[in-house]
Amino acid sequence: GENVEQHPSTLSVQEGDSAVIKCTYSDSASNYFPWYKQELGKRPQLIIDIRSNVGEKKDQRIAVTLNKTAKHFSLHITETQPEDSAVYFCAANSGGTGGYNKLIFGAGTRLAVHP
Amino acid sequence: EAGVTQSPTHLIKTRGQQVTLRCSPISGHTSVYWYQQALGLGLQFLLWYDEGEERNRGNFPPRFSGRQFPNYSSELNVNALELEDSALYLCASSLTIAGGPGDTQYFGPGTRLTVL
């Protein structure tokens, strides 16, 4: 079945450093890859997404890259700040005859940014 | 504009009981999704409804079911509750079903279900 693997499970960085989280997916028909940030006790919030017709997308300190051939996509956070500390989830869309909108999530990466 | 809302916020049930969770999507959104997030774990896809129809379901037993109403709100029903059903149940909504630019899923705050 469809699967998304996410690494690392935990990541600790110093404020100002960069953080990279990597995901691989199994469904070759996936064409939409969102990233969500979930702070403790709160709902997942979309931070950036990418579609299969582009290889890279950037929004201020956050960027996502996609390699469809290798079925890899990555989240890059530059100049990390303490408020970036949270759990980050990658996801890929999947589905069947009813449509391709269900999201398969990775297991999450707990990012800690130390002042 | 109001976001996705869910009720109740918290729920405590005992094994064998039944529970109904409710979700109201963002105005104009026709698709509603349900996900289960067990403590410390990722999100597992449960169900997807669009225009009142079930479009897809995840690998969950039939005692997990739901429906979508004409106003696009949705209910998730869980029968014969088991201890492992304890989790945060998240609802999300999106604008389209076609995988186009409008299909970003926006999450509600979730319902925390505890089964004793």
Side-chain angles (χ1 to χ4, degrees):
Chain A
E2 60 270 341
N3 184 49
V4 174
E5 293 190 0
Q6 182 172 348
H7 299 280
S9 57
T10 60
L11 183 56
S12 182
V13 300
Q14 290 296 124
E15 183 177 0
D17 287 350
S18 295
V20 180
I21 303 170
K22 298 182 178 182
C23 291
T24 60
Y25 61 97
S26 62
D27 188 344
S28 57
S30 295
N31 61 0
Y32 174 61
F33 308 91
W35 287 86
Y36 287 86
K37 174 183 179 182
Q38 188 175 30
E39 296 177 62
L40 190 61
K42 295 190 176 181
R43 72 187 77 188
Q45 297 271 14
L46 179 76
I47 56 171
I48 196 168
D49 58 13
I50 191 168
R51 299 179 191 277
S52 60
N53 57 344
V54 297
E56 184 173 359
K57 183 177 178 180
K58 192 172 183 180
D59 182 4
Q60 299 183 335
R61 297 186 295 109
I62 294 173
V64 58
T65 59
L66 171 64
N67 182 332
K68 281 224 75 179
T69 303
K71 297 183 187 173
H72 290 170
F73 58 114
S74 300
L75 178 71
H76 304 253
I77 306 174
T78 59
E79 301 172 22
T80 54
Q81 300 167 4
E83 50 265 38
D84 294 330
S85 297
V87 179
Y88 291 80
F89 292 98
C90 64
N93 68 327
S94 187
T97 54
Y100 239 72
N101 263 33
K102 74 176 185 182
L103 293 179
I104 306 301
F105 283 84
T109 295
R110 185 172 300 278
L111 173 64
V113 181
H114 302 285
Chain B
E1 180 182 291
V4 178
T5 59
Q6 293 186 243
S7 63
T9 305
H10 295 88
L11 210 47
I12 299 176
K13 293 284 187 178
T14 56
R15 285 175 56 191
Q17 286 190 309
Q18 178 266 342
V19 68
T20 297
L21 312 181
R22 294 178 176 82
C23 171
S24 291
I26 291 171
S27 178
H29 285 190
T30 62
S31 276
V32 171
Y33 312 81
W34 288 95
Y35 294 88
Q36 182 195 65
Q37 186 175 29
L39 191 62
L41 297 180
L43 289 78
Q44 302 295 320
F45 170 75
L46 266 166
L47 289 161
W48 166 25
Y49 292 96
D50 185 78
E51 298 284 0
E53 293 188 14
E54 183 181 298
R55 297 287 182 175
N56 211 326
R57 68 177 291 128
N59 295 324
F60 283 83
R63 58 191 185 83
F64 287 84
S65 65
R67 56 179 172 168
Q68 187 179 32
F69 299 98
N71 67 353
Y72 304 115
S73 66
S74 176
E75 285 183 351
L76 174 68
N77 299 292
V78 188
N79 294 321
L81 284 167
E82 300 180 1
L83 297 178
E84 53 264 34
D85 297 334
S86 295
L88 180 68
Y89 288 85
L90 289 159
C91 170
S93 74
S94 75
L95 193 56
T96 71
I97 66 167
D103 64 358
T104 298
Q105 293 185 27
Y106 298 91
F107 282 86
T111 293
R112 173 74 61 187
L113 172 64
T114 302
V115 182
L116 302 176

